[in-house]
Amino acid sequence: MSALAKLLGQKEQLLARLEAGPGANERAEIQALLAKIDTALKLLGSRSAPGAEPTD
């Protein structure tokens, strides 16, 4: 499994947990993990397309 696929799978699971209505502490933890995953995805995207700027 590629790093990209693994990150996307983790992101999908975390988003599903957010939809389930977690408590405030768990929500903050999930959001922090999502931010890390988004950063990793941007870095992977910039490596796969040299010269291309990441988009949000």
Side-chain angles (χ1 to χ4, degrees):
M1 177 180 283
S2 73
L4 180 63
K6 184 176 179 180
L7 287 168
L8 290 173
Q10 290 174 344
K11 184 174 181 175
E12 186 176 317
Q13 289 175 347
L14 289 170
L15 289 172
R17 284 175 57 191
L18 270 181
E19 289 179 12
N25 289 338
E26 187 178 2
R27 177 176 290 278
E29 181 181 333
I30 292 169
Q31 288 173 333
L33 290 169
L34 285 170
K36 288 181 182 181
I37 289 172
D38 284 340
T39 299
L41 289 170
K42 286 180 183 178
L43 289 172
L44 282 173
S46 66
R47 284 189 201 163
S48 65
E53 293 190 22
T55 59
D56 287 333

